[in-house]
Amino acid sequence: MSLVDDLPVSESIGVFVGVAGVDWLADGHAEPLKALLAGIFAGAVIMAVREWRKKRQKH
């Protein structure tokens, strides 16, 4: 599998929409920068866990 296949795009978008939606509902306005950073961080964590599990499964 290539790196592009391992990117958690839908999960990252889900986190972005979720954070922006909660901000909008709670405060009346969304903070897209905060939501974007949360989505990128969540995607990076998911990708790292997937790689770790893949390497662990081979042994």
Side-chain angles (χ1 to χ4, degrees):
M1 278 187 145
S2 68
L3 178 64
V4 175
D5 294 334
D6 292 337
L7 289 177
V9 175
S10 59
E11 293 92 337
S12 298
I13 292 172
V15 170
F16 172 79
V17 170
V19 170
V22 169
D23 276 349
W24 182 56
L25 288 173
D27 298 335
H29 65 281
E31 296 182 29
L33 182 59
K34 182 171 89 171
L36 180 66
L37 292 175
I40 290 171
F41 179 72
V45 169
I46 292 169
M47 193 169 89
V49 169
R50 285 181 183 171
E51 290 296 319
W52 175 73
R53 289 181 68 193
K54 191 185 315 180
K55 287 179 184 178
R56 188 171 172 231
Q57 198 173 37
K58 288 182 182 179
H59 293 281

